[in-house]
């Protein structure tokens, strides 16, 4: 395994309802994942525009994006968005690239029960990384 310096990437979450109206004050939890556990590393809420601030997160050094490697050139996080009267929306494997900003659009589904269901969306590995033949991360 290569030793790689740590860089910073940025993630913004946008929370909207099914009518594409912004959802204010939704709780956003960000988890760093590894093979052993999920660790919550950041918690914030959305503003009146349904957006969080740009959140600085660790990512691998940009040099991994410049050469072929068995290491992912991005870091993966799980994002959970929670708001009363809506189902919990969880997105796994959100990709954060070094020196870049990304936006995750989350559509909150109204709760149809007396409890909040958990909807899980799993993102696939980035296509350019898969094209290098790195199918097992």
């Amino acid at each position: 395994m290569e030793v790689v310096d740590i860089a910073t990437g940025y993630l913004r979450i946008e929370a909207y309802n099914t009518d594409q109206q912004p959802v204010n004050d939704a709780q956003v939890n960000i988890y760093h994942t590894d093979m052993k556990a999920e660790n919550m590393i950041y918690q914030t809420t959305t503003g009146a525009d349904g957006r969080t601030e740009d959140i600085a997160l660790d990512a691998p050094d940009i040099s991994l994006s410049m050469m072929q490697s068995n290491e992912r050139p991005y870091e993966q996080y799980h994002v959970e968005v929670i708001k009363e009267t809506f189902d919990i929306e969880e997105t796994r494997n959100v990709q954060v690239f070094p020196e870049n900003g990304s936006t995750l659009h989350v559509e909150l589904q109204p709760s149809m029960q007396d409890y909040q269901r958990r909807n899980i969306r799993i993102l696939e590995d980035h296509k350019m990384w898969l094209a290098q033949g790195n199918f097992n991360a």
Side-chain angles (χ1 to χ4, degrees):
M1 176 183 259
E2 300 174 39
V3 176
V4 178
D5 290 331
I6 300 297
T8 301
Y10 299 89
L11 180 63
R12 175 184 291 172
I13 291 82
E14 297 179 342
Y16 295 94
N17 64 21
T18 54
D19 293 327
Q20 296 306 301
Q21 297 299 310
V23 176
N24 183 34
D25 205 32
Q27 179 180 323
V28 175
N29 301 322
I30 299 177
Y31 298 86
H32 186 262
T33 60
D34 60 26
M35 298 304 281
K36 298 179 185 110
E38 290 185 356
N39 300 308
M40 185 167 44
I41 59 166
Y42 198 86
Q43 185 175 66
T44 189
T45 56
T46 57
D49 60 358
R51 298 177 180 164
T52 65
E53 69 280 3
D54 290 339
I55 302 163
L57 297 169
D58 287 346
D61 189 79
I62 197 161
S63 64
L64 282 179
S65 297
M66 306 301 173
M67 62 184 168
Q68 190 167 359
S69 170
N70 288 330
E71 298 291 321
R72 279 191 182 101
Y74 53 87
E75 190 60 77
Q76 292 181 321
Y77 295 90
H78 294 342
V79 176
E80 180 180 61
V81 181
I82 304 169
K83 175 71 177 177
E84 203 172 282
T85 73
F86 291 95
D87 289 342
I88 298 168
E89 300 295 333
E90 181 179 340
T91 306
R92 294 179 176 236
N93 303 334
V94 175
Q95 300 157 10
V96 175
F97 288 84
E99 302 178 21
N100 282 286
S102 300
T103 301
L104 177 66
H105 181 92
V106 177
E107 186 174 289
L108 295 170
Q109 304 294 318
S111 293
M112 299 296 185
Q113 313 289 329
D114 291 337
Y115 62 92
Q116 293 175 297
R117 292 183 317 166
R118 178 176 294 272
N119 302 318
I120 300 174
R121 177 173 58 156
I122 301 173
L123 302 180
E124 296 179 13
D125 280 323
H126 192 274
K127 300 297 184 212
M128 294 299 288
W129 192 67
L130 287 174
Q132 292 182 14
N134 296 303
F135 298 106
N136 296 316

